[in-house]
Amino acid sequence: MVEVVRIVLSVLLVFTFAAVGVGLFLVLMERKISAWVQARIGPRHVGPYGTLQTLADLLKMLQKEHILPAGADRVMFELSPIVVAVAALMSYVVLPWGPGLIVRDLGVGVLYFAAVLSLEVIGILTGGWASNNKYALLGGLRSAAQMVSYELPLGFSILTVATVVGTLSTVRIVESQPYPWHTYPSVIVAGAVFLVAATAESNRIPFDLPEAESELVAGYFSEYSPLRFALFQLGEYGSLFATSALFVTMFLGGWRGPFELPVVGSVLSGIFWFLLKTYAVVFFFMWVRWTYPRFRIDQLLNVSWKILLPVSLANLLLAGLLVAWGG
Amino acid sequence: MTEAAAFYILTGTVLGAALVVVLSRNIVHAAVSLIPVLLGVAGYYVLLGAEFVAAIQILIYAGAITVLILFVILLTEGATGLRVRQRNEQVPLGIIGSGALVFLLITLLTRAPWPPAATPLPTYNPGAVGQSFLTAYVLAFEVTSLVIVACLVGAIVIARREE
Amino acid sequence: MPLDWAYVAGFALVGGILAALPLGIVWLLAPRSQYPQKLLAYESGVIPFGSAWAQFHVRYYLFSLAFLLFDVEVIYIYPWAVVLRALGPVAFVEMLIFLAVLGVGLAYAWKKGALEWV
């Protein structure tokens, strides 16, 4: 019984953080960064420096009419945004926020993370189909093909780190850093592949053809009324944050920092460094988004299957070589 | 006690979703309903102490195979959501056949002496699985790669022939 | 260990309810004035014609099939990654053979044009 209460509390805690620190904050961050890149200011009227803008948008969205397009499949239409948001949320279970601070340290940590991320594809596919709209269906199919193609290099780069450390548990991965020196070439390549694959997994430019604003309207969520759109966005930004957090965990040292903050103690200090690094990686993703043009669909798939997959495969073998002989 | 409760909840989910898969007239609903079935089976694996297999179940079955099934459905006419009535003249034969199978299975499962496990279940974590297929079952492991390549080649040949 | 996964299940269920909550608020608050024109599918301003389904190319299927097969390969690599340090070079060579065979499969798919989009 106590456990049930604990479970519910931890979900509430994580969900609140996801809603505020990720959903509300990241949308604002995106708008501010796009403004900075485009030499303008971005939202500034609502709240100090525009910080309450997303909240205002959310309150507006709660009052918008919900339209079910003619011929749309009601059940799938309603379920898809929830599936996407929940799949993104479920990946937060294995993120180490600080020393000893993790929802559950699953023995199959990073494997679970990859598995849950692959569930998002289904929500996108059914969402695109259920809208009874050609643009949405095309967007959903393309997005699914893209996400599925990039899950492989993502998996291989995660596996490279798992090979170097010898475990799938995120907590032990953080504790094992810095890695043995001779494995670093392999780890660096794995990090680069991870960044590219993660950009594609989150459907961000340069890989955002499925939601290309000038080509497919809004892709698979063209027909969705604002709040469901917001749920899809929560799922997208949620998985962006989770992937950034995983990158920080595997490649940037997780919650470890160069020094412990003076007053607050080791746990809060760990959380501080973890969030700082994760938001820095998110900033990097957003910066890339507003700087580069987008790939065509065939270029996008070529990059995944013909470049990233062989590279990450060879890299994994290199890591295996270094570990098996180097110890 | 909680394990029994978890088992019954999982079984309810699996059976309910499986009924939707079999009885639904809308093929997309049927395909998507497969997901709770697969996730429920992953839950069974967890109850048996095989969390690695459970994670793989989610990754492959719910994550990849369902996507494949959905792609295939969307390539065929089923995607229009038209409700197709099953036209089947062999319903009586089907009922007899499945009834016999059910009877056989129930008799076997209730009459067989299931010995309780003498030792606790072995651990099925990734380390143990890795040890087994890299030392004791290496041949099966290598042959699996051939099976996978055979699937790939076969699918490509069939798909290309249609162009 | 099943407790870990009870947390996972809890996240899925409670998360689903929390995600559905705002939808409930919309159902309570939002106006409802539906008329047929509003329900038309969006097609950049023109009236949509034809059904929302068209024959799609077999390449979607080929990509997801290739993904599935390589995903199955990936699940063998997870346990290998965990035990490699303990088992040493022998395990590495075994996996090398496995991946080499699959690499041949990938090369075949590449050469036969199964990985092309057009």
Side-chain angles (χ1 to χ4, degrees), chain A residues 34-64:
Chain A
S34 81
W36 168 67
V37 165
Q38 296 166 0
R40 55 186 175 85
I41 303 182
R44 54 185 275 258
H45 290 293
V46 187
Y49 293 104
T51 42
L52 296 179
Q53 176 70 47
T54 330
L55 188 58
D57 284 338
L58 181 65
L59 289 175
K60 174 198 70 173
M61 284 179 181
L62 284 174
Q63 307 164 48
K64 293 267 179 171

mmCIF file of all heavy atoms in Angstrom, chain A residues 34-64:
data_model
loop_
_atom_site.group_PDB
_atom_site.id
_atom_site.type_symbol
_atom_site.label_atom_id
_atom_site.label_comp_id
_atom_site.label_asym_id
_atom_site.label_seq_id
_atom_site.Cartn_x
_atom_site.Cartn_y
_atom_site.Cartn_z
ATOM 1 N N SER A 34 14.867 31.057 -31.135
ATOM 2 C CA SER A 34 14.606 31.370 -32.534
ATOM 3 C C SER A 34 14.664 32.871 -32.730
ATOM 4 O O SER A 34 15.176 33.364 -33.733
ATOM 5 C CB SER A 34 13.260 30.817 -32.970
ATOM 6 O OG SER A 34 12.217 31.665 -32.572
ATOM 7 N N ALA A 35 14.173 33.609 -31.723
ATOM 8 C CA ALA A 35 14.221 35.066 -31.818
ATOM 9 C C ALA A 35 15.666 35.554 -31.827
ATOM 10 O O ALA A 35 16.049 36.393 -32.632
ATOM 11 C CB ALA A 35 13.461 35.688 -30.656
ATOM 12 N N TRP A 36 16.470 35.000 -30.952
ATOM 13 C CA TRP A 36 17.866 35.399 -30.860
ATOM 14 C C TRP A 36 18.588 35.113 -32.165
ATOM 15 O O TRP A 36 19.346 35.944 -32.662
ATOM 16 C CB TRP A 36 18.513 34.651 -29.694
ATOM 17 C CG TRP A 36 19.987 34.723 -29.628
ATOM 18 C CD1 TRP A 36 20.740 35.814 -29.371
ATOM 19 C CD2 TRP A 36 20.890 33.644 -29.815
ATOM 20 N NE1 TRP A 36 22.067 35.486 -29.367
ATOM 21 C CE2 TRP A 36 22.191 34.158 -29.628
ATOM 22 C CE3 TRP A 36 20.747 32.274 -30.094
ATOM 23 C CZ2 TRP A 36 23.333 33.364 -29.733
ATOM 24 C CZ3 TRP A 36 21.880 31.481 -30.185
ATOM 25 C CH2 TRP A 36 23.159 32.042 -30.016
ATOM 26 N N VAL A 37 18.322 33.929 -32.749
ATOM 27 C CA VAL A 37 18.976 33.579 -34.007
ATOM 28 C C VAL A 37 18.520 34.519 -35.119
ATOM 29 O O VAL A 37 19.275 34.865 -36.011
ATOM 30 C CB VAL A 37 18.658 32.110 -34.376
ATOM 31 C CG1 VAL A 37 19.000 31.817 -35.813
ATOM 32 C CG2 VAL A 37 19.410 31.178 -33.465
ATOM 33 N N GLN A 38 17.250 34.949 -35.045
ATOM 34 C CA GLN A 38 16.716 35.784 -36.113
ATOM 35 C C GLN A 38 16.801 37.265 -35.780
ATOM 36 O O GLN A 38 16.116 38.069 -36.398
ATOM 37 C CB GLN A 38 15.259 35.384 -36.381
ATOM 38 C CG GLN A 38 15.146 33.953 -36.897
ATOM 39 C CD GLN A 38 13.731 33.435 -36.842
ATOM 40 O OE1 GLN A 38 12.817 34.122 -36.418
ATOM 41 N NE2 GLN A 38 13.551 32.204 -37.265
ATOM 42 N N ALA A 39 17.603 37.619 -34.790
ATOM 43 C CA ALA A 39 17.857 39.018 -34.432
ATOM 44 C C ALA A 39 16.585 39.760 -34.038
ATOM 45 O O ALA A 39 16.354 40.881 -34.464
ATOM 46 C CB ALA A 39 18.568 39.747 -35.580
ATOM 47 N N ARG A 40 15.742 39.105 -33.243
ATOM 48 C CA ARG A 40 14.602 39.818 -32.667
ATOM 49 C C ARG A 40 14.463 39.367 -31.224
ATOM 50 O O ARG A 40 15.323 38.661 -30.723
ATOM 51 C CB ARG A 40 13.338 39.539 -33.485
ATOM 52 C CG ARG A 40 13.035 38.072 -33.626
ATOM 53 C CD ARG A 40 11.870 37.830 -34.549
ATOM 54 N NE ARG A 40 11.701 36.395 -34.729
ATOM 55 C CZ ARG A 40 11.014 35.633 -33.903
ATOM 56 N NH1 ARG A 40 10.423 36.150 -32.843
ATOM 57 N NH2 ARG A 40 10.916 34.341 -34.121
ATOM 58 N N ILE A 41 13.383 39.782 -30.531
ATOM 59 C CA ILE A 41 13.332 39.535 -29.103
ATOM 60 C C ILE A 41 12.450 38.354 -28.691
ATOM 61 O O ILE A 41 12.714 37.693 -27.734
ATOM 62 C CB ILE A 41 12.883 40.796 -28.338
ATOM 63 C CG1 ILE A 41 13.815 41.954 -28.665
ATOM 64 C CG2 ILE A 41 12.909 40.550 -26.844
ATOM 65 C CD1 ILE A 41 13.463 43.199 -27.917
ATOM 66 N N GLY A 42 11.390 38.094 -29.410
ATOM 67 C CA GLY A 42 10.539 36.995 -28.970
ATOM 68 C C GLY A 42 9.540 37.461 -27.918
ATOM 69 O O GLY A 42 9.393 38.647 -27.677
ATOM 70 N N PRO A 43 8.831 36.538 -27.287
ATOM 71 C CA PRO A 43 7.754 36.930 -26.372
ATOM 72 C C PRO A 43 8.303 37.767 -25.211
ATOM 73 O O PRO A 43 9.286 37.394 -24.596
ATOM 74 C CB PRO A 43 7.205 35.602 -25.847
ATOM 75 C CG PRO A 43 7.779 34.563 -26.694
ATOM 76 C CD PRO A 43 8.989 35.098 -27.347
ATOM 77 N N ARG A 44 7.688 38.923 -24.923
ATOM 78 C CA ARG A 44 8.194 39.700 -23.802
ATOM 79 C C ARG A 44 7.119 40.380 -23.001
ATOM 80 O O ARG A 44 7.399 40.983 -21.985
ATOM 81 C CB ARG A 44 9.188 40.745 -24.296
ATOM 82 C CG ARG A 44 8.658 41.638 -25.394
ATOM 83 C CD ARG A 44 9.758 42.544 -25.892
ATOM 84 N NE ARG A 44 9.853 43.725 -25.072
ATOM 85 C CZ ARG A 44 9.375 44.919 -25.394
ATOM 86 N NH1 ARG A 44 8.740 45.060 -26.530
ATOM 87 N NH2 ARG A 44 9.519 45.946 -24.604
ATOM 88 N N HIS A 45 5.862 40.295 -23.439
ATOM 89 C CA HIS A 45 4.845 41.047 -22.716
ATOM 90 C C HIS A 45 4.288 40.327 -21.509
ATOM 91 O O HIS A 45 4.007 40.936 -20.492
ATOM 92 C CB HIS A 45 3.694 41.381 -23.661
ATOM 93 C CG HIS A 45 4.075 42.383 -24.693
ATOM 94 N ND1 HIS A 45 4.367 43.680 -24.402
ATOM 95 C CD2 HIS A 45 4.228 42.257 -26.031
ATOM 96 C CE1 HIS A 45 4.684 44.322 -25.523
ATOM 97 N NE2 HIS A 45 4.613 43.487 -26.514
ATOM 98 N N VAL A 46 4.135 39.021 -21.670
ATOM 99 C CA VAL A 46 3.449 38.276 -20.625
ATOM 100 C C VAL A 46 4.462 37.826 -19.585
ATOM 101 O O VAL A 46 5.261 36.956 -19.836
ATOM 102 C CB VAL A 46 2.759 37.038 -21.230
ATOM 103 C CG1 VAL A 46 1.900 36.359 -20.201
ATOM 104 C CG2 VAL A 46 1.969 37.437 -22.448
ATOM 105 N N GLY A 47 4.454 38.410 -18.431
ATOM 106 C CA GLY A 47 5.403 38.004 -17.399
ATOM 107 C C GLY A 47 6.785 38.581 -17.678
ATOM 108 O O GLY A 47 7.047 39.063 -18.769
ATOM 109 N N PRO A 48 7.661 38.520 -16.682
ATOM 110 C CA PRO A 48 9.002 39.088 -16.874
ATOM 111 C C PRO A 48 9.739 38.343 -17.971
ATOM 112 O O PRO A 48 9.868 37.133 -17.913
ATOM 113 C CB PRO A 48 9.672 38.880 -15.511
ATOM 114 C CG PRO A 48 8.893 37.811 -14.868
ATOM 115 C CD PRO A 48 7.483 37.903 -15.368
ATOM 116 N N TYR A 49 10.189 39.075 -18.975
ATOM 117 C CA TYR A 49 10.889 38.492 -20.118
ATOM 118 C C TYR A 49 10.055 37.417 -20.820
ATOM 119 O O TYR A 49 10.594 36.524 -21.419
ATOM 120 C CB TYR A 49 12.239 37.890 -19.693
ATOM 121 C CG TYR A 49 13.214 38.926 -19.247
ATOM 122 C CD1 TYR A 49 13.486 39.105 -17.899
ATOM 123 C CD2 TYR A 49 13.834 39.757 -20.159
ATOM 124 C CE1 TYR A 49 14.361 40.077 -17.487
ATOM 125 C CE2 TYR A 49 14.716 40.726 -19.759
ATOM 126 C CZ TYR A 49 14.975 40.898 -18.415
ATOM 127 O OH TYR A 49 15.843 41.857 -18.003
ATOM 128 N N GLY A 50 8.733 37.537 -20.726
ATOM 129 C CA GLY A 50 7.887 36.606 -21.460
ATOM 130 C C GLY A 50 7.790 35.225 -20.856
ATOM 131 O O GLY A 50 7.334 34.302 -21.518
ATOM 132 N N THR A 51 8.168 35.048 -19.594
ATOM 133 C CA THR A 51 8.200 33.699 -19.029
ATOM 134 C C THR A 51 6.824 33.085 -18.852
ATOM 135 O O THR A 51 6.692 31.880 -18.810
ATOM 136 C CB THR A 51 8.904 33.683 -17.666
ATOM 137 O OG1 THR A 51 8.484 34.818 -16.930
ATOM 138 C CG2 THR A 51 10.392 33.704 -17.833
ATOM 139 N N LEU A 52 5.792 33.909 -18.733
ATOM 140 C CA LEU A 52 4.472 33.312 -18.550
ATOM 141 C C LEU A 52 3.744 33.108 -19.864
ATOM 142 O O LEU A 52 2.577 32.755 -19.880
ATOM 143 C CB LEU A 52 3.624 34.202 -17.634
ATOM 144 C CG LEU A 52 4.141 34.352 -16.213
ATOM 145 C CD1 LEU A 52 3.230 35.263 -15.424
ATOM 146 C CD2 LEU A 52 4.208 32.981 -15.549
ATOM 147 N N GLN A 53 4.432 33.348 -20.982
ATOM 148 C CA GLN A 53 3.776 33.265 -22.281
ATOM 149 C C GLN A 53 3.153 31.899 -22.524
ATOM 150 O O GLN A 53 2.008 31.788 -22.930
ATOM 151 C CB GLN A 53 4.812 33.550 -23.387
ATOM 152 C CG GLN A 53 4.272 33.408 -24.784
ATOM 153 C CD GLN A 53 3.304 34.496 -25.122
ATOM 154 O OE1 GLN A 53 3.559 35.666 -24.885
ATOM 155 N NE2 GLN A 53 2.152 34.129 -25.654
ATOM 156 N N THR A 54 3.925 30.835 -22.285
ATOM 157 C CA THR A 54 3.400 29.504 -22.577
ATOM 158 C C THR A 54 2.215 29.177 -21.691
ATOM 159 O O THR A 54 1.257 28.537 -22.137
ATOM 160 C CB THR A 54 4.490 28.443 -22.379
ATOM 161 O OG1 THR A 54 5.751 29.005 -22.663
ATOM 162 C CG2 THR A 54 4.254 27.281 -23.289
ATOM 163 N N LEU A 55 2.261 29.642 -20.451
ATOM 164 C CA LEU A 55 1.141 29.388 -19.565
ATOM 165 C C LEU A 55 -0.109 30.082 -20.084
ATOM 166 O O LEU A 55 -1.210 29.503 -20.094
ATOM 167 C CB LEU A 55 1.476 29.901 -18.159
ATOM 168 C CG LEU A 55 0.494 29.549 -17.066
ATOM 169 C CD1 LEU A 55 0.345 28.048 -16.959
ATOM 170 C CD2 LEU A 55 0.962 30.111 -15.741
ATOM 171 N N ALA A 56 0.076 31.304 -20.558
ATOM 172 C CA ALA A 56 -1.066 32.019 -21.133
ATOM 173 C C ALA A 56 -1.607 31.275 -22.351
ATOM 174 O O ALA A 56 -2.823 31.133 -22.527
ATOM 175 C CB ALA A 56 -0.646 33.433 -21.510
ATOM 176 N N ASP A 57 -0.688 30.775 -23.180
ATOM 177 C CA ASP A 57 -1.137 30.009 -24.345
ATOM 178 C C ASP A 57 -1.904 28.774 -23.922
ATOM 179 O O ASP A 57 -2.907 28.409 -24.531
ATOM 180 C CB ASP A 57 0.076 29.580 -25.184
ATOM 181 C CG ASP A 57 0.639 30.731 -25.984
ATOM 182 O OD1 ASP A 57 -0.109 31.691 -26.225
ATOM 183 O OD2 ASP A 57 1.823 30.665 -26.372
ATOM 184 N N LEU A 58 -1.426 28.124 -22.867
ATOM 185 C CA LEU A 58 -2.091 26.928 -22.394
ATOM 186 C C LEU A 58 -3.492 27.242 -21.903
ATOM 187 O O LEU A 58 -4.456 26.531 -22.234
ATOM 188 C CB LEU A 58 -1.267 26.290 -21.267
ATOM 189 C CG LEU A 58 -1.834 25.007 -20.702
ATOM 190 C CD1 LEU A 58 -1.824 23.937 -21.754
ATOM 191 C CD2 LEU A 58 -1.032 24.565 -19.487
ATOM 192 N N LEU A 59 -3.628 28.341 -21.151
ATOM 193 C CA LEU A 59 -4.950 28.703 -20.649
ATOM 194 C C LEU A 59 -5.891 29.023 -21.807
ATOM 195 O O LEU A 59 -7.081 28.701 -21.764
ATOM 196 C CB LEU A 59 -4.833 29.908 -19.714
ATOM 197 C CG LEU A 59 -4.177 29.591 -18.380
ATOM 198 C CD1 LEU A 59 -3.990 30.844 -17.555
ATOM 199 C CD2 LEU A 59 -5.012 28.576 -17.614
ATOM 200 N N LYS A 60 -5.331 29.638 -22.858
ATOM 201 C CA LYS A 60 -6.167 29.910 -24.024
ATOM 202 C C LYS A 60 -6.605 28.620 -24.686
ATOM 203 O O LYS A 60 -7.750 28.445 -25.083
ATOM 204 C CB LYS A 60 -5.377 30.777 -25.016
ATOM 205 C CG LYS A 60 -6.098 30.991 -26.322
ATOM 206 C CD LYS A 60 -5.161 31.447 -27.420
ATOM 207 C CE LYS A 60 -4.247 30.329 -27.829
ATOM 208 N NZ LYS A 60 -3.421 30.665 -28.997
ATOM 209 N N MET A 61 -5.644 27.668 -24.778
ATOM 210 C CA MET A 61 -5.952 26.419 -25.461
ATOM 211 C C MET A 61 -7.044 25.631 -24.765
ATOM 212 O O MET A 61 -7.779 24.876 -25.399
ATOM 213 C CB MET A 61 -4.709 25.536 -25.529
ATOM 214 C CG MET A 61 -3.722 25.959 -26.553
ATOM 215 S SD MET A 61 -2.332 24.826 -26.455
ATOM 216 C CE MET A 61 -1.300 25.520 -27.704
ATOM 217 N N LEU A 62 -7.140 25.801 -23.434
ATOM 218 C CA LEU A 62 -8.136 25.038 -22.698
ATOM 219 C C LEU A 62 -9.543 25.449 -23.070
ATOM 220 O O LEU A 62 -10.499 24.731 -22.798
ATOM 221 C CB LEU A 62 -7.938 25.238 -21.191
ATOM 222 C CG LEU A 62 -6.763 24.479 -20.586
ATOM 223 C CD1 LEU A 62 -6.585 24.887 -19.139
ATOM 224 C CD2 LEU A 62 -7.002 22.992 -20.674
ATOM 225 N N GLN A 63 -9.679 26.591 -23.711
ATOM 226 C CA GLN A 63 -11.026 27.038 -24.036
ATOM 227 C C GLN A 63 -11.373 26.874 -25.505
ATOM 228 O O GLN A 63 -12.427 27.301 -25.929
ATOM 229 C CB GLN A 63 -11.157 28.521 -23.699
ATOM 230 C CG GLN A 63 -10.754 28.852 -22.292
ATOM 231 C CD GLN A 63 -10.540 30.326 -22.156
ATOM 232 O OE1 GLN A 63 -11.389 31.095 -22.605
ATOM 233 N NE2 GLN A 63 -9.419 30.718 -21.614
ATOM 234 N N LYS A 64 -10.481 26.249 -26.270
ATOM 235 C CA LYS A 64 -10.756 26.154 -27.699
ATOM 236 C C LYS A 64 -11.636 24.952 -27.993
ATOM 237 O O LYS A 64 -11.507 23.911 -27.357
ATOM 238 C CB LYS A 64 -9.451 26.011 -28.471
ATOM 239 C CG LYS A 64 -8.589 27.226 -28.399
ATOM 240 C CD LYS A 64 -8.845 28.128 -29.556
ATOM 241 C CE LYS A 64 -7.976 29.358 -29.449
ATOM 242 N NZ LYS A 64 -8.023 30.173 -30.632
#
